[in-house]
Amino acid sequence: MTKNNRRDFLKFTALLPVAELSLAGVGLTVGSSVSAETQGHSMGRSLNFPRSPCYGNREEFEDKLQVIEGQLPDDIFGHAFIIESIDTPERVNLAAGKGAISRVDFTEAGPHIKRVLIRTPSVIAQEKLENSRHRFKNKGIAYLSDTLGTLNSCNTAFVPLSDDRMVITYDAGEPYEIDPVSLQVVTPIGSRDEWKQGLPNFAKLVAGKWIFPMVRTTAHPFYDPYTGEFISVNFGGTVDISGLLHGDAFTHIVTWDLQGRLRHTPLLDDAEENFPANIRQTVHSICVTRNYVLLIDTPFSMEGEVMLGLKALRAQLPETTIWVVPRAELNGENQPIRVRKVILEKEWEHIFADYDDGDGIITLYGATNPASDYSECLKVGDRLYPSNEPVRPDLYGMIVSPMDRGDCGQVRIDMRGGSKKNLKAEVHLTSHPVYNWQTALATYRDDGQPIEKLEYLYWMSFGFSKELITKDLYYTYDYYKYRQVPVHELPWDGVPPALFRYNCLNLTIDDGYTMPSGVFSSSPVFVPKKGSSSQKDGYILCTVTADRRAQAGDELWLFDAQRLSQGPICKMVHPKLNFAFTLHTVWRAQISKRQAKYKVTAAESYGQALQQQPEDIQQFFEQEIFPRFS
């Protein structure tokens, strides 16, 4: 480790006097008031990545959870929802797996769990037509059927609309509503003709007849209870082949009043004459403030060659473009409006906004994941760097580790200035030598109303493992533009996952906990304490998977949000709790059975398109799809 990097390590660990921090290969320990065994650090040992998150069960169940360590607090309440992507038979990217929802209920009788598989029409088609000519084949992070189109597993995130209405989402498919009590899929949001297909026009020679078109949208739409608007995006029209975009781009803001049809407002780049606002990668996240919608061009794109069955790996773009859209100009009548953009250094992934923008300043908080590629996973034929050994077959499908350390930070966009071409942004970054390796998922106190000013974000980072660094990945990102850690100083002994708190008030990382060696943790969710109001007064629930079930197993761990460094205060388990790759979460104080009348039937949505399908597909829809979505 260089002199400067050691100084950085000392500076950041000094922020955490309670926790004991160790970075594999550094041999430095600070403030050891918590034992290494309790705190779960590697203490210089090479970390073996567990196979457990690459394999999950497909069983639906409902039962009590068993507390195996600690005690469940008396003031915990409500319902925590966790969404999951289950491994695929082809052992490909875990983000492309079949979806499942687990709901953890904190009741007076104790903790309870309910788990249900997500079954959209295309998922049902995948299950039933597996051995036919209509089967879905893997194409990187997508599944395509030559005759039917794109699989929408809806396995990524939640958006609550009310106590009785909940939305689940996917980057490459229209969102669906579920019943929060039964967890069953009820209806798509919008019919097939209310979403514009994301592939280029030249692809419509084939894709134009697909019953399940590729819809490119966001995994994180936004519901504003003050205006009653559900806000999303519909974009596409291009495909990246050999690093060049082919096709004609389009980007629409989509708004919905929870009752009627979707309304579209096309976006034009204010810096270009009649040129659409062009999303070059994807829009995994959007942010909404009182007066603006922000579209984040996120580094989660797939090479077009992969969809054609060819091998390709290109670096994600090293900058992040954010398109800023004035809400007052959204017309929903397909009339284009002009929008400006701001360009940030590094790859920002999940970003959150203060709802308050009254001073003309948009304030964002998020994390960078530089030299990372969530679309790339371990697969057959891959070899590790630098050993040149084949990757472990039991890790096929796992997302690769990052090739640099990331940051947490604040972005302030001044809407009162800037040029026609670009807005101005002020950026403050904080990078922790242990916690910011693949800073992946975040949670915060969400009581169902937009947060005027964010005070704390609770992040889960996935760490670094040499077992997840392939030669192709290494040579793609070794000369990364904004590198923090030289490639020869990457932590090859491993960095474990971590749960930590980012303080939005003073822009520091002020508390955290590193996980034990050999476990994989994910999916943090903030659970408020009963009767509290502070953004710090609650608990963080997360998933923990491991290969040695007797020691750690697939469990749910609960932390005190004010004292993360003390470790989990309660661990819960169930014999059938076998998580795969869990993703986003949400908490609700109370839930009830869905009462809304809004519903798009399968006959409405697919009826016209079915007329172009062969007789066996028409019969399949009439027997399997129409009765379930009527």
Side-chain angles (χ1 to χ4, degrees):
M1 171 170 278
T2 66
K3 185 175 181 180
N4 286 340
N5 280 341
R6 186 175 290 272
R7 187 180 297 120
D8 283 346
F9 188 88
L10 285 166
K11 179 176 72 174
F12 280 100
T13 52
L15 295 173
L16 303 171
V18 176
E20 176 185 77
L21 300 175
S22 66
L23 181 62
V26 175
L28 178 65
T29 304
V30 179
S32 55
S33 62
V34 179
S35 72
E37 182 179 0
T38 302
Q39 180 72 320
H41 301 294
S42 62
M43 300 305 293
R45 296 195 307 272
S46 180
L47 302 176
N48 293 319
F49 195 86
R51 67 187 292 278
S52 182
C54 301
Y55 300 86
N57 72 28
R58 290 163 171 75
E59 185 173 354
E60 298 181 327
F61 67 93
E62 184 173 4
D63 202 357
K64 292 181 179 179
L65 286 167
Q66 178 187 358
V67 175
I68 59 169
E69 187 175 313
Q71 186 173 354
L72 195 67
D74 293 335
D75 56 358
I76 196 169
F77 74 111
H79 312 270
F81 293 77
I82 302 167
I83 206 162
E84 176 184 359
S85 181
I86 307 172
D87 53 291
T88 63
E90 294 87 348
R91 311 301 311 154
V92 295
N93 196 303
L94 284 174
K98 177 179 289 188
I101 300 170
S102 295
R103 190 188 69 232
V104 180
D105 306 316
F106 297 106
T107 70
E108 292 183 359
H112 180 276
I113 188 167
K114 180 181 178 69
R115 186 174 188 268
V116 170
L117 298 180
I118 298 169
R119 306 185 78 220
T120 64
S122 59
V123 168
I124 295 171
Q126 181 193 39
E127 294 172 352
K128 300 289 186 178
L129 302 175
E130 174 63 25
N131 298 317
S132 76
R133 64 188 179 95
H134 306 296
R135 69 184 296 266
F136 288 81
K137 306 168 189 173
N138 176 255
K139 303 292 182 181
I141 54 174
Y143 271 87
L144 300 177
S145 162
D146 294 337
T147 55
L148 299 180
T150 309
L151 180 71
N152 179 3
S153 54
C154 236
N155 67 4
T156 308
F158 303 97
V159 182
L161 304 179
S162 61
D163 290 347
D164 72 330
R165 301 182 75 175
M166 179 80 75
V167 173
I168 55 175
T169 66
Y170 193 51
D171 290 274
E174 69 276 19
Y176 275 77
E177 270 199 65
I178 63 169
D179 183 311
V181 175
S182 71
L183 303 182
Q184 297 295 328
V185 174
V186 177
T187 178
I189 294 177
S191 62
R192 184 180 180 277
D193 67 343
E194 292 179 65
W195 294 94
K196 193 170 181 180
Q197 180 166 266
L199 291 175
N201 288 329
F202 60 77
K204 290 182 180 178
L205 294 173
V206 176
K209 295 182 180 180
W210 282 352
I211 194 78
F212 302 124
M214 178 176 285
V215 173
R216 301 188 68 190
T217 180
T218 178
H220 296 285
F222 185 89
Y223 175 62
D224 190 336
Y226 297 140
T227 64
E229 291 177 297
F230 180 88
I231 303 171
S232 188
V233 63
N234 187 192
F235 69 96
T238 61
V239 63
D240 179 351
I241 298 178
S242 299
L244 299 174
L245 291 180
H246 299 267
D248 299 311
F250 71 89
T251 302
H252 295 182
I253 294 290
V254 176
T255 53
W256 178 49
D257 64 3
L258 311 193
Q259 301 178 51
R261 289 179 62 83
L262 306 184
R263 304 181 69 195
H264 288 242
T265 302
L267 307 182
L268 299 178
D269 186 344
D270 197 37
E272 304 287 345
E273 188 68 28
N274 296 320
F275 193 81
N278 186 13
I279 303 298
R280 295 193 61 189
Q281 298 177 113
T282 188
V283 186
H284 181 70
S285 297
I286 71 170
C287 293
V288 177
T289 70
R290 185 168 277 106
N291 294 295
Y292 299 96
V293 178
L294 295 92
L295 307 182
I296 294 94
D297 195 335
T298 321
F300 188 38
S301 62
M302 180 179 70
E303 295 79 6
E305 297 94 318
V306 176
M307 294 182 63
L308 301 174
L310 304 174
K311 183 177 180 179
L313 174 58
R314 285 186 294 279
Q316 304 287 329
L317 297 179
E319 288 86 24
T320 300
T321 298
I322 300 178
W323 296 92
V324 184
V325 184
R327 292 179 67 175
E329 297 182 22
L330 296 175
N331 53 69
E333 303 294 339
N334 278 308
Q335 297 300 312
I337 63 173
R338 296 190 172 277
V339 296
R340 292 192 288 172
K341 63 180 179 287
V342 62
I343 300 175
L344 307 179
E345 293 182 356
K346 299 190 178 184
E347 304 94 313
W348 293 71
E349 306 233 1
H350 291 113
I351 298 182
F352 308 89
D354 285 349
Y355 191 72
D356 180 16
D357 58 14
D359 55 0
I361 303 292
I362 296 173
T363 306
L364 309 175
Y365 300 94
T368 70
N369 275 294
S372 298
D373 198 333
Y374 282 95
S375 69
E376 186 68 15
C377 68
L378 302 188
K379 50 191 177 297
V380 178
D382 281 344
R383 290 186 173 271
L384 297 174
Y385 182 90
S387 68
N388 199 39
E389 297 174 357
V391 300
R392 284 169 44 191
D394 60 345
L395 296 185
Y396 288 163
M398 189 63 205
I399 294 169
V400 295
S401 276
M403 278 287 292
D404 198 7
R405 191 181 71 220
D407 319 85
C408 293
Q410 180 199 69
V411 178
R412 287 167 55 86
I413 304 172
D414 190 346
M415 297 305 298
R416 302 165 299 185
S419 66
K420 184 175 182 180
K421 186 174 183 180
N422 285 329
L423 292 161
K424 294 180 179 179
E426 180 182 305
V427 180
H428 298 274
L429 295 179
T430 296
S431 183
H432 192 285
V434 178
Y435 295 159
N436 283 121
W437 290 95
Q438 204 162 51
T439 312
L441 301 168
T443 186
Y444 55 89
R445 179 164 186 148
D446 180 3
D447 291 317
Q449 300 291 325
I451 298 178
E452 295 290 335
K453 297 284 187 183
L454 280 162
E455 296 177 2
Y456 300 98
L457 289 172
Y458 301 84
W459 287 97
M460 184 71 75
S461 61
F462 290 163
F464 179 96
S465 172
K466 66 181 181 181
E467 295 182 285
L468 304 181
I469 298 289
T470 66
K471 290 178 67 175
D472 287 345
L473 182 80
Y474 182 91
Y475 290 119
T476 299
Y477 288 99
D478 56 347
Y479 290 107
Y480 175 67
K481 185 176 182 180
Y482 301 112
R483 180 165 293 283
Q484 288 197 90
V485 179
V487 289
H488 63 276
E489 294 184 11
L490 290 174
W492 296 108
D493 284 335
V495 178
L499 173 65
F500 65 92
R501 185 177 63 228
Y502 178 77
N503 188 324
C504 303
L505 303 176
N506 59 27
L507 309 184
T508 64
I509 296 170
D510 63 9
D511 193 12
Y513 175 86
T514 57
M515 297 292 170
S517 175
V519 307
F520 181 78
S521 55
S522 188
S523 303
V525 55
F526 187 97
V527 182
K529 292 182 180 179
K530 192 177 297 184
S532 70
S533 59
S534 166
Q535 294 184 33
K536 203 176 178 181
D537 203 3
Y539 305 98
I540 307 298
L541 182 74
C542 68
T543 61
V544 176
T545 69
D547 295 342
R548 294 172 294 175
R549 294 178 61 87
Q551 179 178 341
D554 289 6
E555 300 173 0
L556 291 159
W557 288 11
L558 192 71
F559 293 78
D560 186 328
Q562 297 192 43
R563 291 173 284 274
L564 300 179
S565 59
Q566 291 187 2
I569 61 173
C570 181
K571 296 181 181 180
M572 293 164 281
V573 73
H574 188 277
K576 296 180 180 178
L577 198 59
N578 183 14
F579 290 122
F581 192 48
T582 60
L583 295 166
H584 290 284
T585 58
V586 75
W587 174 87
R588 297 295 289 175
Q590 56 189 20
I591 58 173
S592 58
K593 183 175 174 60
R594 187 178 188 271
Q595 302 296 325
K597 295 181 180 180
Y598 178 85
K599 194 170 190 181
V600 178
T601 68
E604 289 177 68
S605 192
Y606 303 119
Q608 186 174 355
L610 272 175
Q611 296 176 14
Q612 303 179 58
Q613 295 293 322
E615 185 176 348
D616 60 337
I617 289 300
Q618 293 186 33
Q619 290 179 354
F620 170 78
F621 268 74
E622 290 172 0
Q623 295 171 7
E624 299 287 347
I625 304 299
F626 287 176
R628 294 173 183 260
F629 298 94
S630 60

